[in-house]
Amino acid sequence: MKAQLEPIKGLRELSEERTKLVHTFGALAELGHEVSHKQSFQDTVRTSMHLLLGSLAIMRGGVARYSPFAHEFNMVAARGLGEEFPLSLSLCPEDERQFLSCGLYPIEAEHARVLPFFQIYDRSLERSKVALAVPLVLRDELLGAVFLGEKASGEPYTSYDKEIICAMARHIGVAIAQRNMLAELERRANENRKLYEDLRMAYTDTVKAFAAAIDRKDKYTEGHSVRVGKYSELIAAELGWSEDEIEGAAVSGYLHDIGKITVERKLINAPYRINAKESVELSKHPGAGYDILRPIHHPYEGVPLAAKYHHERIDGRGYPDGLYDREIPFIAKIVNLADSFDAMTTDRPYKRRRPAGDVFEDLQRNSGKQFAPEVVQALFRGILKELYGESGGRPFRKLLGREYMESEGLAITLKNALNGSAGVAPITLTSVD
Ligand SMILES: [Fe+2]
Ligand SMILES: [Fe+2]
């Protein structure tokens, strides 16, 4: 009889094992999904832990992430371990070595008291009824640990159970490895961003220092380069350029006259209208500026071109090359207008600044001759918007002064100029202050 019963019992065990196996595969599939789809690391670990506890009917457990800097496990998720279970557990080098050598294989707390870790946390582990500690090791790196209480049945863990734990722990290890990799990537990206910002700041500071140095040389036009930079920036913004391009326009304005550092100081500071010979000398500054700026790697490629062509006119009567409209780089057209506008609106040694109405009429008259019409319109639009309070801040008022911006009929002059411009949609602004 006994001999006949043996195969029946074997069959039942086989069937139980098969059910368990199917269940485990299901849990593993879910774990894999969790690891690859969940956005939050905390959620992934928590769900993975519940799946592990559930698939083997384990009462309590927890998952910790290892910090190689602090040499400690930090708990990420726990169930049923009790309030007193430590949130972080430190490791000595010997513990680390042992955990690493165990790989993913579960260590029985009861039999591991020779390790300092199990001696130090003996009471905590016992109080929380932790039976197994599973080091999470992937590619020879200790990533964390899973702590498991006893099974609900009270039966000891079989080697088959431990195999399952091992497989599921690997998935949790992958989740932690992914998280670590992401954290490292974020850290490097932040570091790069910071480096780039530092570099950019150093570049901008250098540009401003140069602008100040150029302006120092010309005592009558103090602040000219800085103002041309600001006007160029405002015009570019009005034209809808991107943030980087606007910054590029500002830099181009700051540096447009850098070639003047090669021109004799007495010529720049001449308190009279310079003669033809002196004029030839001075007219070399765009080319000199280009030669100075060209070898430098600028974040904005138009910077040397703006220096070279800021005295060109779209009717071809400018210098140094007498280029026509479309031959002139757009940035040079912006800086050209900003440059002339500043010359007209500031006092010079041989003449005082011109009245606002006079200046804007002149710009309008020369639109299409010296200046590019779309650039003139952008400047007018920017000033008009500020007069109507439709722009943030009052940069033009700061540059031109209150008196200038409040001169009579300014808004009407600008509005008429804009509405009269051929091929341009009439401005929508209707009210006048
Ligand atoms: Fe110039
Ligand atoms: Fe200039």
Side-chain angles (χ1 to χ4, degrees):
M1 282 297 279
K2 198 181 171 193
Q4 280 177 329
L5 281 173
E6 282 300 323
I8 294 168
K9 191 185 167 200
L11 272 176
R12 202 183 67 230
E13 274 176 358
L14 207 65
S15 160
E16 271 175 19
E17 293 287 283
R18 194 180 294 148
T19 314
K20 225 168 165 182
L21 200 66
V22 169
H23 189 73
T24 306
F25 270 130
L28 269 175
E30 268 186 68
L31 249 180
H33 181 81
E34 277 303 315
V35 170
S36 55
H37 285 84
K38 266 276 190 307
Q39 289 296 313
S40 151
F41 169 69
Q42 292 272 346
D43 284 352
T44 303
V45 171
R46 202 170 296 127
T47 316
S48 305
M49 182 193 72
H50 286 301
L51 281 166
L52 171 55
L53 298 182
S55 68
L56 288 174
I58 303 168
M59 301 292 285
R60 51 184 69 87
V63 177
R65 182 180 174 193
Y66 181 60
S67 160
F69 308 106
H71 300 281
E72 63 188 16
F73 286 134
N74 296 307
M75 296 305 291
V76 181
R79 188 178 84 184
L81 292 180
E83 297 268 301
E84 285 169 38
F85 194 79
L87 290 175
S88 69
L89 304 97
S90 67
L91 272 77
C92 69
E94 196 190 335
D95 297 321
E96 280 181 24
R97 264 197 308 278
Q98 281 299 326
F99 279 129
L100 267 171
S101 72
C102 279
L104 285 156
Y105 203 75
I107 302 169
E108 293 198 23
E110 210 182 334
H111 302 134
R113 292 217 174 86
V114 321
L115 273 181
F117 180 84
F118 290 93
Q119 285 166 23
I120 289 170
Y121 297 106
D122 183 40
R123 284 190 57 200
S124 303
L125 297 171
E126 211 174 276
R127 203 168 32 225
S128 302
K129 296 187 176 129
V130 170
L132 297 178
V134 192
L136 301 176
V137 177
L138 283 183
R139 291 199 197 102
D140 293 329
E141 192 188 348
L142 181 60
L143 298 161
V146 175
F147 299 101
L148 298 171
E150 76 276 24
K151 293 200 311 188
S153 62
E155 289 168 10
Y157 283 103
T158 64
S159 59
Y160 179 73
D161 291 336
K162 287 179 183 171
E163 288 293 331
I164 293 171
I165 291 168
C166 215
M168 296 185 88
R170 185 184 298 278
H171 277 74
I172 300 176
V174 169
I176 294 177
Q178 271 181 357
R179 167 72 182 187
N180 290 352
M181 211 157 68
L182 211 71
E184 178 62 14
L185 278 175
E186 267 171 26
R187 193 187 63 77
R188 284 191 197 175
N190 282 337
E191 214 172 80
N192 280 346
R193 198 174 304 127
K194 172 106 186 31
L195 273 174
Y196 176 72
E197 274 165 15
D198 287 352
L199 214 66
R200 201 170 168 142
M201 220 140 71
Y203 172 79
T204 316
D205 286 350
T206 311
V207 165
K208 285 183 180 162
F210 263 118
I214 304 160
D215 291 344
R216 277 274 172 116
K217 198 163 183 187
D218 187 345
K219 67 177 176 187
Y220 295 113
T221 57
E222 207 190 335
H224 168 69
S225 300
V226 173
R227 284 192 302 272
V228 172
K230 300 238 190 274
Y231 287 131
S232 301
E233 180 181 341
L234 291 166
I235 294 169
E238 192 51 46
L239 285 164
W241 284 20
S242 71
E243 220 171 284
D244 282 352
E245 288 168 331
I246 292 170
E247 207 177 325
V251 171
S252 301
Y254 284 139
L255 298 178
H256 77 286
D257 270 342
I258 196 167
K260 280 191 180 171
I261 59 172
T262 65
V263 178
E264 268 191 85
R265 185 185 282 266
K266 71 172 193 317
L267 200 63
I268 296 174
N269 287 322
Y272 53 82
R273 277 189 190 278
I274 51 173
N275 63 36
K277 192 174 161 233
E278 289 167 331
S279 176
V280 167
E281 196 52 39
L282 191 61
S283 67
K284 288 179 185 165
H285 79 273
Y290 179 71
D291 290 341
I292 293 168
L293 296 171
R294 196 185 38 156
I296 302 167
H297 179 78
H298 301 274
Y300 330 101
E301 56 183 20
V303 176
L305 294 175
K308 186 168 186 181
Y309 297 123
H310 73 276
H311 284 295
E312 295 288 355
R313 300 166 49 109
I314 66 166
D315 58 10
R317 293 172 54 214
Y319 66 94
D321 295 343
L323 300 182
Y324 282 93
D325 189 5
R326 287 168 68 174
E327 295 169 320
I328 307 168
F330 203 91
I331 184 67
K333 294 177 182 174
I334 293 179
V335 175
N336 171 266
L337 178 67
D339 190 27
S340 302
F341 184 61
D342 185 60
M344 290 171 170
T345 52
T346 47
D347 292 334
R348 296 277 153 143
Y350 43 87
K351 66 174 180 190
R352 288 195 60 75
R353 73 167 175 174
R354 294 161 59 185
D358 198 9
V359 168
F360 292 111
E361 269 169 35
D362 198 345
L363 293 181
Q364 178 66 1
R365 209 171 29 250
N366 279 296
S367 171
K369 294 177 190 157
Q370 178 180 350
F371 310 117
E374 58 269 52
V375 181
V376 173
Q377 286 149 26
L379 174 69
F380 285 13
R381 231 174 18 241
I383 297 174
L384 198 55
K385 278 186 187 170
E386 188 173 311
L387 287 173
Y388 286 143
E390 292 186 5
S391 54
R394 293 196 284 188
F396 283 108
R397 200 183 172 100
K398 263 189 209 153
L399 291 160
L400 293 162
R402 184 177 68 94
E403 206 184 308
Y404 211 83
M405 289 293 276
E406 286 178 3
S407 54
E408 214 185 318
L410 179 59
I412 294 182
T413 307
L414 293 171
K415 210 174 126 212
N416 288 343
L418 283 166
N419 286 339
S421 304
V424 177
I427 192 148
T428 50
L429 305 165
T430 45
S431 63
V432 183
D433 283 79

